[in-house]
């Protein structure tokens, strides 16, 4: 560790690649009901349509932005200080928390007092907070008492992605305004399988969704740096990126860089799955610099504390770990409390047994002690910790299928049912809860997963890993799983846990992380489109208009990954002039179908018949006559 | 062109990367009812299971093999001579064709007699064949007369992928045989939406499917080099790779290499979409060296002949082009005969107009002449040419949507209906026919495409481009479309036309072609699994067993791309010894869940209770008692 000079705390610095604004993009903020509710967005500037296609100005597009202050040139980033604590006042003013003198977990104290760790340690001056005795500080608890928190308002503004402002800018676009509005705002009605997404998200809607458990806002009171976000079926589909060093390879520095890299490309939350030597310190660096919620699997660290011997795990060690991590600010914990003793034998006939690390640890513990899981037995004790810090449950699917063979089997579905029962218990404590899902599932068995989850877990948000739709493509499991992720997102999953090309093979590097994220942004967006999420099609429409009009730079910049799009284009047609060309390398100037379409339209225009007239004549019914009369119908409108 | 010394005919040579057998793979042949029906497969050798997991031998797996003789070390490849004409005798012995003195198209003769082309020209000694006057040489024609051709028998053997032999090898695997058979042969019942896939494909079944038009065997009598394959909803889902030079870039050499590269990774057919200067010569080189059917879009070349001026196209020029290409051996033609005059105005209000090159050419022609498409009006004349060479129709979707906005609109669906009418006409002539489909379609509108196609095109095979499920990811359209392709394949599409990462941006290089192919192999296989195609899960099961048992090399080799899987693994754990390690880089030795699962199983084994006993006791109902009694249930079977 110390061999990596980058990670001496005194000299730690941000990854430069993560702080450049994306091309033609700028950070904008929309203010809420009070000056300290400032919701960030990314605004993408567009160029004017070439004269041959109409010559209109194209208003900028606003997109959801997970990248935090990093992409705001106005913010000075110093990862040694961490991000500004934007929720600090919101938390303090609720008056239901107290500042502790220091970490209250034994392990947290031990690490803090170890002088050998000084040069690795993030230098945090702030003391941890905890709910006052008897208080419950979860967003769900507030929601159920009818309180709209600043977090909820933040989420509401964020989810609307300034859609109304964009549509207004279209309507106001001069003489072509109405035409542009109709073209660019149109969207297919979706099929949402019973989701209830309003045309506009209000703070009250957010409150209601959180109150009834259909959405969560992971927001630990010790992670005041986050920009609040919601995970729920009636919000935009979110994605999670996993990072984490391992016993074999990678360093703290790489993990912090993976976090900033992940959020740059669209990671809505990040799970820190570290298993190495300095888990505690790595986590602190990640949380202090993360504007997105951080999830962990506390059993991994608990196991480290007993030198990897699952049978030596105890509730006390696990409990201390929960408190340690809660006081650092972890926003959600994966807890494998559904791996019950009775279900373990159901995995005996499986192709791939138990593939979840957490699941297998608990299975080993249960068999070693011949008793029920301590996570299950202490579930209400865990709830007490969760609500004292507002850590959300991510109820782990420790028995998820690791192969197509094992999909939707009794072990998996028994655990799912238990997760539903535990959801009810968590909700009794007003603890925010989401449910983890598989895994490896062939396409035709995916919907059953979603339907059972909705029914048995009472619409608590579903958070799935893929699912992978085949086992036969190691090296491409971002794709095998991206297919399943898009589908289950459409059916109702609220957050998709990404899979990288390295799945099953090795640790992802930055390229893999980006490939995983972009694949999952595609899946999430395809799901939003299919659900008919209001406004989801705005970006598709804008990009397709740019594509049709050969606005190459706009096409790149409106895409999920402008850099790659531009590089790919330049590989074939490198000259700058080619980005103004009204044809592309696939067809060349003669064959370009878009050019021919436009030629056809121009030809029509020359006949001198106005748009309005052509439309009045009932274009579609009388098409043949029109064409015979002089092809006057061929123009965009 | 001449600047590329690789493509002087005298020195042309095969791409070395395309002729190496894949790791641990060997070419095997299964003989049919006569010695010249020798169906190729790839057999993947597996290693023995490590002792800790049972120590059994794992029989080799046979997979469908599109790579042709290239991957057979016993065959000497010389692309200057082309591949052996394995169907030559089958065609000749039917006695319904005649050998022509030379090309009968004007253009074919012109090119042959141009001395300047000598150094580019493939040196073909064989004369073209054509049906005798009044004869029909299509596979559909034979099928409808009850004749099972060698092509049909070849297809039947090929589609079964030697599954029975593999299952037999499992059953005979000694004392563990029954257990292995049960584990490795099990498959989820699928949801096929009305497909009728038999447990075993017989030659008679192939004949019947071809006769009723539900499948085609693209097999031009002038392409005797092909290894016959079928495209139909009741066969394995196929994929097509597009190659083609363009006016702006790329060369013949690159295109031939792309073909051999495409089939190496699993392209079932290849479309040559060249639009450059030496289309005719490029095509000859590709066909003579291609063991898979080759498709083209003849209107591209016809347009070249009129210097890119669509309005100057004539039926005579087009007809000559069809004959020219049919006599070279093109196996299927995309014909945009559904772009009728009446439909063109329907595209006026679209976001992206007409994005199909063929569609826009025909639209321009129709408007310029104010008359119905000559392709539509001469459709029966085209049928006469098709049946004289057994060229199959791929009825082009010239009005496919080029953006989410335009999906499933009136223009698209009107054309689809017309393609159904044309299918009836083609079938009247016993001409094999498949139907091209979109395009850009959000997930929830995909099934409507399939359902309408099945109904309106009378179950003729559907052949779709993706569909792309969102417009917003230029640079990743293999993925946006791989999602749609997997879904529409599941719903019933017979062949998926690949999309590469360069779609919309530039010309694909070899890496892009491979990325496109592997993505589409994933989509096709995921579709086969979801349909419940018999035996589809065999490879998933074998790979997952290898994965569970840490047989790293087997896991790589059973995958779609062993090279990439191995490279990815080695990036993290490069040492050879690590490929024997019973853990991987993601978790390291302590955390490995597979290892823990096996530890659990071993623990159970130590209790000394036999598998049979445990099973008898009704494991699942009494799980808790079992575990309490001593965890005796934890073993694989």
């Amino acid at each position: 560790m110390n061999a990596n000079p980058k990670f001496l705390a005194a000299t730690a610095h941000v990854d430069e690649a993560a702080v450049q604004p994306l091309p033609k993009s700028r950070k904008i903020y929309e203010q809420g009901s009070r000056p300290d509710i400032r919701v960030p967005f990314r605004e993408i500037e567009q160029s004017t349509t070439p004269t041959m296609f109409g010559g209109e100005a194209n208003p900028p597009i606003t997109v959801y932005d997970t990248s935090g202050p990093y992409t705001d040139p106005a913010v000075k980033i110093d990862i040694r200080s961490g991000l500004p604590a934007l929720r600090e006042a919101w938390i303090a003013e609720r008056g239901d928390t107290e500042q502790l003198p220091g970490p209250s977990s034994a392990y947290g104290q031990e690490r803090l007092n170890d002088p050998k760790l000084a040069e690795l340690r993030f230098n945090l001056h702030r003391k941890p907070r905890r709910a006052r005795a008897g208080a419950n500080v979860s967003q769900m608890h507030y929601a159920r008492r009818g309180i709209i928190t600043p977090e909820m308002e933040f989420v509401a503004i964020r989810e609307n992605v300034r859609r109304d402002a964009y549509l207004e800018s279209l309507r106001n676009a001069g003489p072509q305004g109405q035409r542009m509005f109709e073209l660019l705002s149109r969207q297919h009605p979706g099929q949402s399988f019973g989701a209830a997404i309003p045309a506009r998200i209000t703070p009250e809607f957010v409150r209601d969704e959180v109150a009834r458990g259909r959405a969560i806002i992971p927001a630990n009171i010790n992670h005041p740096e986050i920009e609040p976000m919601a995970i729920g079926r009636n919000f935009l589909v979110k994605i999670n990126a996993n990072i984490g060093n391992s016993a074999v390879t990678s360093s703290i520095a790489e993990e912090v860089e993976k976090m900033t890299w992940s959020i740059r490309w669209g990671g809505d939350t990040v799970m820190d799955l570290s298993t190495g030597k300095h888990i505690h310190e790595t986590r602190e660096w990640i949380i202090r610099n993360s504007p997105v919620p951080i999830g962990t699997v506390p059993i991994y660290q608990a196991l480290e504390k007993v030198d990897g011997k699952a049978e030596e795990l105890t509730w006390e060690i696990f409990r201390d770990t929960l408190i340690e991590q809660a006081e650092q600010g972890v926003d959600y914990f994966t807890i494998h409390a559904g791996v019950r003793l009775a279900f373990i034998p159901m995995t005996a006939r499986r192709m791939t047994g138990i593939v979840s690390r957490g699941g297998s640890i608990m299975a080993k513990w249960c068999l070693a002690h011949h008793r029920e899981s301590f996570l299950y037995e202490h579930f209400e004790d865990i709830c007490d910790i969760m609500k004292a810090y507002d850590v959300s449950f991510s109820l782990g699917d420790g028995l998820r299928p690791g192969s197509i063979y094992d999909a939707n089997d009794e072990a998996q579905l028994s655990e799912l049912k238990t997760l539903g029962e535990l959801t009810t218990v968590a909700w009794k404590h007003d603890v925010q809860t989401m449910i983890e899902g598989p895994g490896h599932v062939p396409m035709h068995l995916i919907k059953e997963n979603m339907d059972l989850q909705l029914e048995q877990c009472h619409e608590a948000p579903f958070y799935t890993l893929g699912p992978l739709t085949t086992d036969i493509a190691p090296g491409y499991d971002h794709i095998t799983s991206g297919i399943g992720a898009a589908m289950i997102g459409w059916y109702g999953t609220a957050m998709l846990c990404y899979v990288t090309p390295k799945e099953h093979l090795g640790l992802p590097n930055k390229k893999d992380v980006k490939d995983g994220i972009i694949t999952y942004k595609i899946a999430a967006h395809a799901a939003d489109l299919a659900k008919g999420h209001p406004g989801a099609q705005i970006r598709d429409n804008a990009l397709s208009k740019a594509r049709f009009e050969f606005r190459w730079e706009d096409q790149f910049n409106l895409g999920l990954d402008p850099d790659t799009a531009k590089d790919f284009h330049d590989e074939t047609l490198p000259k700058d002039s080619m980005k103004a060309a009204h044809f592309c390398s696939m067809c060349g100037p003669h064959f370009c179908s878009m050019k021919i379409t436009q030629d056809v339209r121009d030809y029509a225009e020359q006949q001198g018949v106005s748009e309005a007239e052509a439309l009045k004549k009932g274009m579609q019914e009388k098409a043949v006559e029109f064409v015979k009369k002089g092809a006057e119908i061929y123009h965009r409108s």
Side-chain angles (χ1 to χ4, degrees), chain A residues 271-283:
Chain A
M271 288 195 78
D272 172 17
L273 304 183
S274 298
T275 57
K277 208 173 164 187
H278 297 105
I279 299 184
H280 181 87
E281 288 69 30
T282 306
R283 185 186 310 122

Side-chain angles (χ1 to χ4, degrees), chain A residues 227-292:
Chain A
E227 296 168 342
M229 54 78 71
I231 300 165
R233 184 182 175 209
N234 295 320
F235 298 99
L236 291 160
V237 175
K238 305 302 189 298
I239 71 164
N240 172 71
N242 290 334
I243 60 176
N245 66 342
S246 95
V248 179
T249 177
S250 95
S251 73
I252 292 182
E254 287 167 23
E255 299 313 314
V256 173
E257 280 190 22
K258 277 185 204 158
M259 183 275 291
T260 53
W261 188 241
S262 298
I263 62 176
R264 177 176 181 80
W265 297 112
D268 291 288
T269 75
V270 167
M271 288 195 78
D272 172 17
L273 304 183
S274 298
T275 57
K277 208 173 164 187
H278 297 105
I279 299 184
H280 181 87
E281 288 69 30
T282 306
R283 185 186 310 122
E284 188 75 32
W285 278 93
I286 292 172
I287 294 173
R288 297 289 72 81
N289 285 289
S290 173
V292 304

Side-chain angles (χ1 to χ4, degrees), chain A residues 557-629:
Chain A
N557 297 340
L558 290 165
L560 292 176
D561 178 2
D563 301 345
T564 296
K566 183 167 184 298
D567 289 349
F568 280 4
H569 176 270
D570 291 0
E571 230 176 76
T572 317
L573 296 175
K575 286 183 199 147
D576 263 357
S577 64
M578 286 304 186
K579 279 191 278 295
H582 292 161
F583 62 90
C584 55
S585 58
M586 284 81 79
C587 312
H590 271 317
F591 269 86
C592 174
S593 59
M594 300 227 180
K595 186 168 175 297
I596 289 180
T597 300
Q598 191 57 36
D599 287 351
V600 166
R601 288 180 183 177
D602 291 345
Y603 175 90
E605 289 288 349
Q606 285 159 21
Q607 312 298 315
V609 179
S610 79
E611 276 178 26
E613 257 180 278
L615 284 173
K616 251 184 275 166
K617 288 184 187 166
M619 208 167 46
Q620 286 158 0
E621 291 84 349
K622 307 208 173 192
V624 185
E625 291 87 332
F626 277 171
V627 173
K628 285 186 179 153
K629 267 192 269 169

Side-chain angles (χ1 to χ4, degrees), chain A residues 261 478 500-502 508-518:
Chain A
W261 188 241
H478 58 314
T500 76
K502 288 278 170 60
N509 59 26
K510 281 177 72 177
K511 179 178 183 327
D512 299 318
V513 166
K514 183 172 170 184
D515 282 345
I517 300 249
I518 301 289

Side-chain angles (χ1 to χ4, degrees), chain A residues 337-374:
Chain A
V339 182
R340 296 194 61 180
L341 179 65
F343 306 152
I344 298 168
M346 296 175 187
T347 66
R349 296 177 69 100
R350 280 184 155 184
M351 175 67 79
T352 44
I354 301 177
V355 294
S356 147
R357 284 189 269 170
S360 58
I361 293 164
M362 289 314 299
K364 191 165 183 181
W365 188 92
C366 289
L367 289 187
H369 295 278
H370 300 171
R371 52 175 293 193
E372 185 58 276
S373 153
F374 64 83

